[in-house]
Amino acid sequence: MTMTMTMTRAKGRWPKLDPNDGVEDVTLLILEWLGEQGVGAMIRVDAERLQEGRPAWTFAASGGPLLEGMRADGASVAECMGRALLRQREAGLSVPF
Protein backbone atom coordinates (compact mmCIF):
# COMPACT_ATOMS: atom_id res chain seq x y z
CA MET A 1 0.00 0.00 0.00
CA THR A 2 1.35 3.40 -0.96
CA MET A 3 0.68 6.15 1.56
CA THR A 4 1.80 9.72 1.95
CA MET A 5 1.14 11.26 5.34
CA THR A 6 -0.90 14.45 5.24
CA MET A 7 -1.88 16.74 8.11
CA THR A 8 -5.66 16.92 8.56
CA ARG A 9 -8.16 18.03 11.16
CA ALA A 10 -7.88 14.68 12.93
CA LYS A 11 -4.53 14.15 14.58
CA GLY A 12 -2.16 14.37 11.64
CA ARG A 13 -2.25 10.66 10.89
CA TRP A 14 -4.66 10.37 7.95
CA PRO A 15 -2.79 9.21 4.87
CA LYS A 16 -3.50 9.89 1.22
CA LEU A 17 -4.42 6.49 -0.13
CA ASP A 18 -3.55 4.82 -3.38
CA PRO A 19 -6.91 4.37 -5.19
CA ASN A 20 -5.84 0.87 -6.24
CA ASP A 21 -5.70 -0.32 -2.63
CA GLY A 22 -8.67 -2.17 -1.16
CA VAL A 23 -10.79 -1.34 1.85
CA GLU A 24 -9.00 -3.99 3.89
CA ASP A 25 -5.90 -1.76 3.79
CA VAL A 26 -7.71 1.07 5.61
CA THR A 27 -9.89 -0.92 8.01
CA LEU A 28 -8.03 0.23 11.12
CA LEU A 29 -8.20 3.85 9.98
CA ILE A 30 -11.95 3.44 9.44
CA LEU A 31 -12.36 2.03 12.96
CA GLU A 32 -10.35 4.90 14.39
CA TRP A 33 -12.38 7.49 12.45
CA LEU A 34 -15.62 5.91 13.66
CA GLY A 35 -14.38 6.10 17.25
CA GLU A 36 -13.65 9.80 16.79
CA GLN A 37 -17.30 10.22 15.69
CA GLY A 38 -18.53 8.56 18.88
CA VAL A 39 -19.25 5.21 17.22
CA GLY A 40 -18.08 2.07 18.98
CA ALA A 41 -16.98 -0.41 16.30
CA MET A 42 -15.15 -3.68 15.92
CA ILE A 43 -14.23 -6.27 13.33
CA ARG A 44 -13.62 -9.90 14.21
CA VAL A 45 -13.01 -13.27 12.63
CA ASP A 46 -14.80 -16.39 13.87
CA ALA A 47 -12.52 -19.42 13.52
CA GLU A 48 -15.41 -21.88 13.83
CA ARG A 49 -17.35 -20.27 10.97
CA LEU A 50 -14.13 -20.14 8.92
CA GLN A 51 -13.59 -23.88 9.38
CA GLU A 52 -17.20 -24.53 8.38
CA GLY A 53 -16.84 -22.50 5.18
CA ARG A 54 -19.29 -19.82 6.33
CA PRO A 55 -18.64 -16.05 6.21
CA ALA A 56 -16.26 -15.65 9.12
CA TRP A 57 -15.71 -11.88 9.26
CA THR A 58 -18.10 -9.65 11.23
CA PHE A 59 -18.20 -5.87 11.58
CA ALA A 60 -20.39 -4.38 14.32
CA ALA A 61 -20.99 -0.74 15.26
CA SER A 62 -23.30 1.33 17.44
CA GLY A 63 -23.58 4.72 19.07
CA GLY A 64 -22.77 8.24 17.98
CA PRO A 65 -24.73 9.29 14.90
CA LEU A 66 -25.91 5.71 14.24
CA LEU A 67 -29.51 5.58 15.48
CA GLU A 68 -29.44 1.78 15.57
CA GLY A 69 -26.64 -0.73 15.96
CA MET A 70 -25.48 -2.40 12.78
CA ARG A 71 -23.73 -5.58 11.72
CA ALA A 72 -22.20 -6.76 8.45
CA ASP A 73 -20.74 -10.20 7.67
CA GLY A 74 -18.49 -11.35 4.84
CA ALA A 75 -16.23 -14.14 3.67
CA SER A 76 -13.22 -11.76 3.63
CA VAL A 77 -12.23 -8.51 5.30
CA ALA A 78 -12.85 -6.67 2.02
CA GLU A 79 -16.34 -8.13 1.60
CA CYS A 80 -17.25 -7.51 5.22
CA MET A 81 -16.00 -3.91 5.24
CA GLY A 82 -17.54 -3.17 1.84
CA ARG A 83 -20.93 -4.24 3.19
CA ALA A 84 -20.35 -2.31 6.42
CA LEU A 85 -19.50 0.91 4.57
CA LEU A 86 -22.61 0.55 2.40
CA ARG A 87 -24.81 0.04 5.48
CA GLN A 88 -23.21 3.05 7.20
CA ARG A 89 -23.90 5.26 4.18
CA GLU A 90 -27.49 4.03 4.12
CA ALA A 91 -27.72 5.04 7.80
CA GLY A 92 -26.46 8.54 6.93
CA LEU A 93 -22.85 8.14 8.10
CA SER A 94 -20.44 8.70 5.20
CA VAL A 95 -17.01 7.38 6.12
CA PRO A 96 -14.38 9.42 4.21
CA PHE A 97 -12.52 6.44 2.74
Side-chain angles (χ1 to χ4, degrees):
M1 179 162 119
T2 306
M3 293 191 301
T4 306
M5 294 306 288
T6 303
M7 297 299 285
T8 64
R9 67 167 182 80
K11 296 179 182 169
R13 63 185 171 270
W14 298 109
K16 285 187 178 180
L17 301 171
D18 184 334
N20 296 320
D21 290 339
V23 69
E24 64 270 24
D25 293 331
V26 295
T27 295
L28 294 178
L29 292 174
I30 292 169
L31 292 173
E32 186 174 35
W33 183 86
L34 288 168
E36 290 171 353
Q37 309 313 304
V39 176
M42 65 171 227
I43 188 164
R44 71 180 295 266
V45 64
D46 185 316
E48 185 175 306
R49 287 192 291 167
L50 184 64
Q51 292 171 353
E52 294 171 355
R54 298 185 305 158
W57 289 93
T58 300
F59 172 88
S62 64
L66 292 175
L67 300 177
E68 298 179 10
M70 60 157 295
R71 175 182 169 152
D73 295 302
S76 66
V77 174
E79 182 181 348
C80 180
M81 289 304 296
R83 289 179 178 176
L85 290 172
L86 178 62
R87 299 226 17 235
Q88 289 171 53
R89 286 186 189 108
E90 290 170 349
L93 183 61
S94 293
V95 178
F97 293 96

